Structures are given as C-alpha cells and as structure tokens.
Amino acid sequence: FATMMAVSFLLPILLSGAAAIPELAQVHVITRHGARTTLTKTGALREEGKASLTPYGEKQMYDLGDWLQRRYSTEGFIGDYNIDNARFESSHVERTIASANALGLGLFPPSARGPANTLLPETVYRSIPVYMTEQRNDIHIRAYGKCPKFHDRLSSLYASSNWTNVEQEYKTQLTNLAQSATFAEYKNNAGYIPLSELWNVYDIVKVALTECDFAGIDSDRCATSQMLTDELVSVGLPWSIVESLAHFAESTRYSKDTAGDLLGGNLLFRIHGRMGGDTSSFPTSQINPGSGGSRNFYHYSAHYPTIMSVFASLGLVDPPNEVIPGYGAALILELYTDTATGENTIYMLYKETDEEGAMSVKFSGPCEGETVCSLPLFTQTLSSFSYTSPEGWCKACDNEEADICLTVKLNEKPTILAPTIPPSTAGSPPTSPSWAPIADGPVPSTLAPFMGLNPIPAPTPQPIVTPTPWPSLVPPTHEINDEITSSDENEFFNTWPPTPTPIQCEEGVSASTVAGAFLGGIGLGMAVLVALRYMTALRYSKDEDCSDSTDPDNIIDLDFSDGREYS
C-alpha cells in the first residue's frame, strides 16, 4: 500500500520531467475525536450536556497515532518528541483534549520521549502539551458554533423544499418514532421528530452500536443496541434509513451551499501560513498563522463538523462530504519540498478509523481533479474565499463576541453627520441645514439625525436676561470675643460666633408669638432660607431678666449691630 501511495504521488512529478525527489517538510493532521458518550444537539446545533471520551475512543486515537508514527518514522520524519518539532492543538472540550493526548501516546511512545533534560525518574516519560483556545474565541476549530450568518442559513435550509421534501417522505415513520419513550423528547409541537432533530436518534443508536463493536457480540452493551435497532424497525424506520437520513442532514448543513467557506477557512488560512504560503495578497497582520512557529508536525484535535467544513471550504466532491466522518477519522495535508527547485507541493489524504490505509483526496479550483497541488495554486484557492483574514471572517459571519471581532467592532469609526447651514440673504426665510459626514471626532452636541430621525435645525439663540439680584444676606462681621472664664456657666457660648446684644424679654410675650409674627411677615420659605443661612451665626444666651431661661418657649431675640433682628 505504501508503495502504491508513493507511486500515485510521484507519478505526476516524474511525468513533468522533474529530476529531484520531493522531500516531506510538514504534516498537518485534522482529526475527529474518538468514540464518546451520547451528545444531544438542538436543531440550532447547540450542544446540551457533556460527552466524554470512552476507553474505546481513547484506543482509537492511540491506534491512529501509532499509524502516523509508522507512516512517518520510516524516513526519519518522526523521531523522538521535541517541543520545537511537534505541536498539538485542540478545541476546548474534554473529548478532544483527551483524544489529542491519546494520539500523542501512539505517535511518540515512551521510548521516543525519554527522560533527557528532565529530573523525572527513568520510568517516567515526558508529557506532551496540548494547546487550546477559550470556547468563544475558537474561530479555527469550532467556527461552526461562532457564526450567526451560518445559523441564519440553517433557518433558510430547514424551510427549503430540498429539506422539507425529505422530511415529508418519512413523516409517518418520524411520527411513530416520536411515540417511543426513548426518543419522545425530540418531537416537535406537531407530534413528530423533525429532520433537524433526527441527529439525536442517530447518535443514541450509533454510540450503542460502537460500544457493542468494541465489547463484543456477547456483551451486555450489544443487548442495548439490539433493543434500540429493534425499536426502529418496529416503526418502519430501520437503522440503515436513520443513518442515511443523518448523513443527508449533516452533509447538507455543512455543504458548500450552506456553510460555504465560513466554517473551514480560518483553519485553512492557519495551515497555509504555517506552510510558508505566500500571503502578499492577504493582510499580513491579519493572516497571522498563530502561535506555534514553524514545526514539522501539527495535530488539530477537532470534530466532524470541522472536517466537513474544510471540505466545503475547498469545494471538494469526494468523500466524506456526503458521509459523517467516523470517530477518529483524519484529514491529512502533507507538504513536500522539491530539493532541487525549492517548490512546495501539497498532498491530501483522508483516513477512516476502521481502514488500515488512507485514500487520496482530489483538489478542486486551480488544481481541479488532481491529487497534488502546488502551494502557489493552493494560495489562489484561498484567495477566492469571501474573506481573507480573521477580521474579515468576523464581518462575513456577523460575529461580535470573539475577542478579535470585538476589536474590529471597537475600531470601526461611525459616520457622523453634522449640519452645514447655508447663508441666508437678507429678508429671506432661514435655509434648512444640509448634513455632511464628518470623518472623525466626537459627536457634535447639535447632532439630531440619529436612529433614522430627520435632522432638526438648531434653535435660534435667545438673549440672556440677567435676573435682579437678591438682597445681600451675608451676615455682618463681628470681632471674636477671646475672653473665656471657666466659672461662666455659658462657657461654650463665649466662643465663636460673636456675641450679639440681647434684647430684654417682656413679660407675657413668648418666643412662639414673635416667631409667628416673623413668619407672617416674610413667608415660610424666606424664613427657612434665613434660618439655614444664619444658623451658625446665632447663639442662645441666658437673659438675666427672664424668669426661666431653660423654658423651651423662652427663645431670646438677638440684635446685631446693623439693626436686623432674628429670633
């Protein structure tokens, strides 16, 4: 098989007259995680609950790593693990992180990790770091969950005749299936399980069948899968039809017509940049291949929508574009360098878990129908995408949540309209202002036409009328009395504010009577104002002629030197 693969790759080069044998320079492996527990998804593809990698799934990924080790170690391309030569990246979920670790164990066995440059015991081998991005910022591996434009297209797809015709064809069986206690939770208000929710039926049965295959026909797990498949047969919807409908639904969702290049382009741009592709036609600062430098081997631990989205972005027509990639499936891009000319060529492979070998994938676009494509022609393919940078993807997808998309939103400068009032001739009515865009600067305070409103001219300035000032209420100045004697029972009142001259109390006249007259004279509001203004200037003093200075009604009138009186 290896000989056949080598011949299929070298034949086009030999026929072209090239003398040198291409040398493998880089390998990029995009995988679906291994077998997992069940995962519920809504029609909007929102995952509910968490799915974990099973022991069988871990073994699948280990076996894939071992297969890669055998394929690439023959020419010395894969040797001992070196952090400068290999990089593992994953989406931010448990099943893909665990899958990356398992693949690393197969690709770099303990003998290839050694205790060199470490203080660990000889029986312990070094771990391999797996890099991941926070969920909302993962626009490379899980872009399909971060693209509102794609979800708008899904709504249109579910209403299309292509979708509804298939659903109507099996509506009777889907209605009967909805009566099952196992699957009833996925039915809609019309009483049947819509095609957009059929994934959940497919996944429950698929997980059971996968575990049965791993455990053996005599396992209790096979009893579960048998019960589920019998239930499908009883409603006239055997597993083979459920599987076909699921493949149709997923391949249509992630097709070129629905997903386009929105979901797989960012990852392809990253791979292209790491291959050293020409980015002169791309915004260099925006097409950054991401951290990781230039290594020989890259692993992207991903999901089946990731692989299907890459196929859709490249417009590939070969499998698996109509088949859901199985657990542990891998899409491999190999970069070869001509040792004589320095030219770079890409070779693409696809491997399913249960297949020992890998199949060649034919390119589309400038390399239509070929199994190899030069890096410059591959660059042309990416240049035809609807965006050529992560920032461009933000706009194409209407994403305003990822950090890079928020940066784009914040950097956008809105067009500001400001009034330009033409001069009016004498005796003519005022001219309505015209509105012209301002390139930059703050929004003018006179700006009116926001939120779609019609512009409103600024009001004519009115002359400022100066109000008549209130009479001065500033208290007169007094000298401070510094004479304080400890024997004086009113010691506190002999300090600031200054002591006014008391007016003698008259027999039978209470302070409340005086206060009432005062309030009647100038009004309640003025009294409150004056009281607040001069409360710190007033002092209470004992009147020697009053019979009881502690009487609360016996408030002493105060007389200031300017003749004003307050009580």
Side-chain angles (χ1 to χ4, degrees), residues 105-150:
L105 287 172
L107 182 62
F108 296 106
S111 60
R113 301 192 189 192
N117 299 322
T118 181
L119 298 177
L120 297 176
E122 292 184 1
T123 56
V124 178
Y125 52 87
R126 290 174 293 170
S127 60
I128 296 178
V130 176
Y131 301 89
M132 63 205 74
T133 304
E134 186 182 3
Q135 282 275 21
R136 66 186 178 88
N137 290 323
D138 185 2
I139 66 173
H140 295 90
I141 293 178
R142 286 175 69 96
Y144 55 87
K146 317 295 187 306
C147 186
K149 180 66 71 175
F150 167 63

Side-chain angles (χ1 to χ4, degrees), residues 69-322:
Q69 199 276 336
R70 287 184 281 111
R71 177 177 176 83
Y72 296 116
S73 63
T74 54
E75 298 179 0
F77 182 79
I78 293 292
D80 291 347
Y81 170 71
N82 187 323
I83 195 171
D84 294 326
N85 292 332
R87 181 177 174 89
F88 292 75
E89 297 179 358
S90 170
S91 64
H92 205 286
V93 294
E94 185 273 339
R95 60 187 180 275
T96 51
I97 297 171
S99 293
N101 280 316
L103 185 144
L105 287 172
L107 182 62
F108 296 106
S111 60
R113 301 192 189 192
N117 299 322
T118 181
L119 298 177
L120 297 176
E122 292 184 1
T123 56
V124 178
Y125 52 87
R126 290 174 293 170
S127 60
I128 296 178
V130 176
Y131 301 89
M132 63 205 74
T133 304
E134 186 182 3
Q135 282 275 21
R136 66 186 178 88
N137 290 323
D138 185 2
I139 66 173
H140 295 90
I141 293 178
R142 286 175 69 96
Y144 55 87
K146 317 295 187 306
C147 186
K149 180 66 71 175
F150 167 63
H151 291 276
D152 291 342
R153 293 179 181 179
L154 285 180
S155 299
S156 299
L157 171 65
Y158 297 158
S160 67
S161 58
N162 184 38
W163 188 274
T164 56
N165 288 344
V166 174
E167 191 172 78
Q168 288 298 318
E169 182 179 352
Y170 293 95
K171 188 172 181 179
T172 299
Q173 294 93 323
L174 293 173
T175 301
N176 294 334
L177 187 61
Q179 309 309 311
S180 165
T182 306
F183 309 115
E185 64 180 292
Y186 307 116
K187 66 181 178 181
N188 59 14
N189 294 332
Y192 68 94
I193 299 176
L195 189 57
S196 59
E197 296 282 348
L198 189 65
W199 159 267
N200 299 301
V201 177
Y202 164 83
D203 192 61
I204 290 173
V205 181
K206 179 67 175 177
V207 167
L209 290 173
T210 300
E211 290 302 307
C212 174
D213 291 342
F214 172 62
I217 193 65
D218 296 327
S219 170
D220 292 339
R221 300 176 187 177
C222 290
T224 301
S225 63
Q226 186 64 48
M227 178 193 69
L228 292 172
T229 52
D230 289 347
E231 192 168 359
L232 294 177
V233 172
S234 67
V235 299
L237 204 62
W239 167 244
S240 59
I241 295 181
V242 171
E243 188 176 36
S244 297
L245 289 174
H247 286 319
F248 163 78
E250 299 308 297
S251 63
T252 307
R253 280 167 169 158
Y254 299 104
S255 66
K256 182 70 175 178
D257 292 336
T258 307
D261 54 28
L262 294 178
L263 310 183
N266 284 333
L267 182 56
L268 286 169
F269 279 124
R270 170 164 284 185
I271 293 172
H272 173 268
R274 288 172 170 173
M275 285 181 171
D278 180 16
T279 59
S280 59
S281 59
F282 307 140
T284 305
S285 62
Q286 300 173 340
I287 204 65
N288 189 331
S291 58
S294 178
R295 290 172 168 80
N296 296 337
F297 179 87
Y298 292 90
H299 173 222
Y300 309 92
S301 187
H303 310 261
Y304 80 84
T306 312
I307 296 177
M308 299 184 81
S309 297
V310 169
F311 270 77
S313 296
L314 294 175
L316 302 179
V317 295
D318 283 348
N321 75 318
E322 292 183 357

Side-chain angles (χ1 to χ4, degrees), residues 499-521:
T499 305
T501 304
I503 300 176
Q504 302 299 323
C505 291
E506 297 181 6
E507 191 68 16
V509 180
S510 67
S512 59
T513 303
V514 177
F518 178 75
L519 294 176

Side-chain angles (χ1 to χ4, degrees), residues 334-416:
E334 299 177 340
L335 178 69
Y336 289 85
T337 300
D338 191 310
T339 56
T341 64
E343 294 181 356
N344 293 315
T345 306
I346 300 174
Y347 184 45
M348 192 151 48
L349 304 168
Y350 178 74
K351 182 185 182 306
E352 278 286 2
T353 309
D354 54 358
E355 299 291 339
E356 176 56 31
M359 67 175 70
S360 300
V361 177
K362 293 181 179 180
F363 286 85
S364 61
C367 298
E368 182 75 39
E370 301 292 336
T371 57
V372 294
C373 187
S374 69
L375 186 56
L377 291 180
F378 187 67
T379 302
Q380 287 186 25
T381 301
L382 302 190
S383 300
S384 66
F385 284 5
S386 60
Y387 58 95
T388 55
S389 70
E391 288 84 351
W393 175 86
C394 293
K395 295 182 179 180
C397 272
D398 291 336
N399 183 304
E400 296 182 357
E401 295 183 0
D403 287 351
I404 191 170
C405 299
L406 287 174
T407 302
V408 172
K409 190 70 176 178
L410 291 174
N411 288 338
E412 289 180 349
K413 296 181 179 179
T415 301
I416 301 172

